[in-house]
Every structure is written in structure tokens, then in C-alpha cells.
Amino acid sequence: GRWAYGDRLELRGTLETPPVFDTFSYRDYLARQGVHSLITPAELTRRAANQANPALYWVYRYRTRALGVIQRLYPDPEASLLAGILLGIESQIHPKVREAFNRTGTSHIIAISGFNISIVAALFVDLLGRWLGARRGAFAAATAIGAYTLFVGADAAVVRAAIMGGLGLLARRIGRTTDAMASLGATALLMTLIDPYTLFDVGFQLSFAATLGLVLYAAPLQAWFQARSEPLLGADQASRVAAPVGEYVLFTLAAQFTTLPLTVFYFRRLSLVSLVANPTILPLQPPVMILGGISALLGSLWAPLGQALAWVTWPLMALTIRLVEFFAGLGWGSIGLGSASIFVLGGGTLMILAWTALGGQELPLPWLRFPSVPRTMVLAVLALAAALTWRAVADRPDGRLHLTILEAGLGDAVLIETPEGRFVLVDGGPSGVALSEALGRRLPLFARGIDWVILSGTGREQIEALAGGLDRFPAGGLIVAAPPGGRAYRQVVELFRQAERPVVEAAEGTWLDLGRGARLTFAARGDRGAILLVEHGRARVVLAPAADSGLTGESRISRRLEGVTAALLPDGGSASANPATWLAALSPRLTILSLEAGNRRELPAMETVEALTGSRLLRTDLNGWVRLSTDGERLWVNIERLPEWMDDG
């Protein structure tokens, strides 16, 4: 980003009191963070750099470097998920992926929490204890937990888990048994003494409630399950089965029971599939975190070594996301509850306390267990190898030309896959997160590079996402088919030049060979953008996302593009950018419009829709991404969400 930890900034603007909405006091929320005024808009100027704590500066600098390494080793959305799990950086996660985790009650996997700290603690205690001995190993493990806590941002939930982990290590060192309830209470007391506003932090509340549920109910539930299983399975088999069932099913039930009032109050949603989704994906998370962390460490030292391990780790993360999305897609999986008053929160909490007082027991949380059966390891390695092999087979080029109009929001982005399996990206849209997520799902796992990036327009809505850097969007070169633009354009061009990648200006009439008879022609250039024509055999697709009325209104251009197979129209189908003569000349069998969700501009214009009579219409705001595939004779259309005319057959 433009600013880094340690920068001294000068801020200019007008102070404003934060607002209070009907259902939410933003003023009180910010006050709990120590913020009492806002400045919007603000002018920021860097006055100095490297002004902060040197130790923290290097911690955060390496965190940023680790994020870049992860983004180079993994495609999205897996890269963003791993950044959340390992680094506590959740800003890169696509909203759709985040919503899927929320709907299934598995969002705790993304957020750094006690689960992550438990894995770190168990790993360091085991490894360092063997290398350094019990005393020095415990001290080194506590230091590692503290460093990791700072590394991931040290929010309230992470600090809570770290303190409890430290108390556990201290108890083991002095030969005492840890009392989980006392540790939890002491942790909460210490944190609120340091910062009383911690009590109002939602993350701390959820973390505290989930841990309380584990302390009170996890062991009794596991004992109950084992007792009920013994008549059917026998004592030995019941004991072996009770461990994984307790860890992945019953413990989840215990945590969700005590967090239920908070979930209803804050998120107004009840997940019905969480008891199935959590035990399905939780066993994948320890190897994801350990292997993902090692791959990032190795990748920062030598990229090929980290990449090799990343290929082994990727199937586990991909499977996690696909399973979560599957469960989130179940119509009955999540129930919206509407707003809940403070009395619902208080009443639910009192019911839990009453239930506990009548029969709960306080038992310590068992340590995390890792499978150690050799047969299990062999099967896991074979499964990973099979997953990687089938992914490589699926990524092989099929000899067809593919064009995917991505759901880029207030902008445009088109990914072209040539018949020989090479990739060209036309524009990128305004959101780096959305573009990275879309490309991560479509580019091959083992060769995620883009041969060329083409700028059909240089406005912010076309290319802002590309300013995220070539580490995130690796590309061989840049083709500029539009007049120079503003800050985003200059930043993109500078990135390519600094990386010593070619920057080429495309003149009208030049073309790019896509292989096997397919080609992309720069059909016209205007004051705002260009019109591209992609041809393969009988298929002709017009891409005009950034064309203006001066370009689409020229009769010579319209005649050149008569009777195309499909067309991506400019400006979301506005009347000004799409005159009737232009649409009549194109006469596309399929029309595609790139529009943002919500579509506040009320596009497409009625005049445009009426002029497209006889053409099938697809919109990214309603239908999601649109994928066109052709062998030169036939055209196949795949979309994310079916329109009414497809539902009707």
C-alpha cells in the first residue's frame, strides 16, 4: 500500500463527529477504539518514514513480505484464505467467500483464534521441547507464541488465546495442573485491566464465550458419547472413536451453545449446517496451517522450494473452500433472524448460566491431538497426489477459445484463454480482491501467469485492480490500446517498466495471434478507449467495455463489425454509449453487460434493451460471470447464475 507502519503522516481536513444510525451507533463503536472524530475527506502527506518501534517495524514488514510470498505461491481464493489463517490479514478475502464461511458458521477458521494458537503452541512445545529441553523449550515456546501474536495483529481474541496458552505452559513448567476456568477468568481480568474497552470487542466476546463453552461442556459431552457408545462398540473402540467425534463434533456443539446469544444478537443469523460443516473441514486445518506456514517460510528463502510444498498444500485449502461453498449453497443451511434486542442477549446468557448451574462440570480443555497412524499418512499422501494430478488434467487446454467476462462490479475485466492454453487479460476492473479471486479460480494451478494484459481503457473503473502489483497478477507484458489516463494508468505502466516487462502501444488495425487461427484485432481506438474484435472460425466477439459515443457512432466502425456472434457493450448499456445505429449493425446473437450489484445507475437504458430485440441478454449483476467457449464452429455459454430465458429452456 501507499503507507507503511512507521510512517509519520500529516493529516488535513475537517473534524466531524461520527454518526449514530437507527440500529447502530458508529459513534459508540469508534469511541471504544479510542476514536472520537472523523475526517472525510482527508489529505494525507508522508513527512517521515521508519519512526516507529524498530522491532514492530520488522515484524510488520515481514508480515507484508509473507503476504506477497503467499500470493505468489497460491492462487486466489486459496491465497487469501491462507493469509487470513496464517497472518490475520482478511482484507483480501472475496466477499462471496467470506459470506459462505459466515453462513456455515465456520468463519472462526479464517480469524486467528484459540484454534490457531493451540496449533502453534502444540507445535512449538513439541519441537522446541525436544531440541532445547523442557525448561528452555517452554520458555522458547512462550516467546514464539508472543511473537506470533504480534505478527498477526494482536487483536483481543488472539491475545486472549495467547495468554491462556502462556498460563498453560507456565503450569506445566512448575508441575501444576491448569484450571481452565481460573485461566479464562484471569485472562479476562488482565485484559480488561489493561483496556476496559476490551469487554465491548465483539471478537473478544465471541472468543471468551466459545472458550467458556469448551471449558464447561466439552469433556462432559465426550464422556457422555463414550458411555453411550460402549454397549455398541466396546470400551476400547468407543474410547478411540470418542476422541475425533469429541474434537470435531461435540466440541463445536459446546462452543456454539455458549456463543448462540451473541451470534443471534450481532449477526442476526442461525446456521443449521455448522454442525456438519465444522467437523467436515476442521480436520483439514492443522495440516493447512502447518504446511502453509512452512511453504511461506521456504518460499521467502527460495521460491521453487516453497512452490513445491504449496502444490501439496493447495488441495487441502481448495477442498476447504469448496466444502464451505457447498454447505452455504444449501437453501436451508442458514436462517435469517432479523434484529434482536439486548434482552435476547441477556435472556439467552441467563439460560446458559442456569443450565450450567444445574448440571455443568468444569474440566480442562484437552490438548490438540494429531493422527499418527502410518496408513493414514499414506492415504493422505495418495489423496493429495490424486488431487494435484486431476487438477493438472483439468487445467490442460482443450483446443477451444474461451472468453470469460468476470463479475468486476463497477468496471470490466475479460479473461481470454487461447486454444493452446495461454492467457490474455483485457482490463481488470476496480477491485484487486475481486480480480484476484476470479483469476485464482480460472488460471492453472501450476502455471498462473498471464501472457499479456491489454488496456482497452485507462479509466479507474477499468484498471484500478491492476495497480495491486505484478506479484499478485503476474503478466508477461502490457498492451495499451487507449489514450493515457490518470494515476491508476501511470501506476500500472510504471509497474511493468520497473519489472522490465514490455509495454506496447497498439495502433488501430493491429492484431494479436491467439493460436490455431484465433486472433484479437484492435478494431478501433477513440478518445476514451478501444474496441476489440476476437475471432475464431465463424465466431466473432466484440469487446467494447471502454468505447465512447464518438467511437460507437462512427458508421465505418459499425460496418466493419456487422453481424457478430456476441458483444460486450460499453458503459453497462447506457444509451449515450450505445446508439441505435451501432446496435443495429452489430446485431449480436448474445449481448453481455458488465454491471455492479445493486446497479444504482439504473442500467441498461430502456432504449438499449429495445434496440436489442432478438438478442439474448446476460448481465453480470444478475448472472455473475459469463464464459463463452468456441471451437470456431459452435459457441457454448456457461454462466454463474441462470437467467429466466435459460430456466424456461
Side-chain angles (χ1 to χ4, degrees), residues 111-188:
I112 303 292
S113 62
F115 182 75
N116 308 70
I117 297 296
S118 296
I119 295 175
V120 172
L123 188 63
F124 277 110
V125 167
D126 186 44
L127 293 178
L128 298 178
R130 294 179 182 179
W131 293 344
L132 304 176
R135 181 177 180 180
R136 293 180 179 178
F139 177 78
T143 303
I145 293 173
Y148 182 71
T149 301
L150 291 176
F151 183 71
V152 298
D155 64 23
V158 181
V159 172
R160 192 277 312 157
I163 294 177
M164 290 195 68
L167 291 175
L169 289 174
L170 176 62
R172 292 182 62 183
R173 179 68 194 93
I174 63 178
R176 300 291 296 274
T177 301
T178 305
D179 187 293
M181 184 64 76
S183 296
L184 182 60
T187 300

Side-chain angles (χ1 to χ4, degrees), residues 391 400-408 412-418 421-429 434-444 447-454 466 473-475 514 520 532 534 541 543 545 568 625-629:
R391 175 60 191 257
R400 297 174 182 174
L401 177 68
H402 302 277
L403 293 88
T404 305
I405 291 83
L406 306 175
E407 188 178 3
D412 304 273
V414 181
L415 180 66
I416 301 173
E417 181 181 356
T418 73
R422 306 180 77 87
F423 291 89
V424 176
L425 178 65
V426 180
D427 301 330
L435 179 62
S436 182
E437 199 269 349
L439 294 180
R441 291 179 182 268
R442 290 164 180 82
L443 294 177
R448 293 188 291 117
I450 299 170
D451 287 80
W452 289 100
V453 172
I454 297 176
L466 299 172
F473 311 112
L514 301 179
L520 182 153
L532 313 180
V534 181
V541 180
L543 304 176
L568 173 63
W625 50 260
V626 179
R627 180 181 172 91
L628 310 180
S629 305

Side-chain angles (χ1 to χ4, degrees), residues 104-109 115 206 209-215 217-219 221-222 242-260 263 271-283 285 365-366:
T104 55
T106 55
S107 56
H108 61 91
I109 289 173
F115 182 75
L206 289 169
T211 307
L212 181 63
L214 292 171
V215 171
Y217 306 117
L221 282 173
Q222 186 172 354
V245 170
E247 189 168 337
Y248 298 126
V249 180
L250 302 179
F251 293 1
T252 299
L253 178 62
Q256 289 185 330
F257 178 62
T258 48
T259 57
L260 182 60
T263 302
S271 175
L272 301 180
V273 298
S274 60
L275 293 180
V276 180
N278 273 288
T280 303
I281 64 176
L282 277 176
Q285 303 320 300
L365 181 66

Side-chain angles (χ1 to χ4, degrees), residues 55 94 111 147 237 283 303 332 342 353 381 389 411 425 436 438 519 527 577 598:
H94 193 276
Q237 187 65 21
W332 49 268
I342 191 67
L353 292 175
V381 171
T389 302
L425 178 65
S436 182
R519 71 179 191 175
D527 295 334

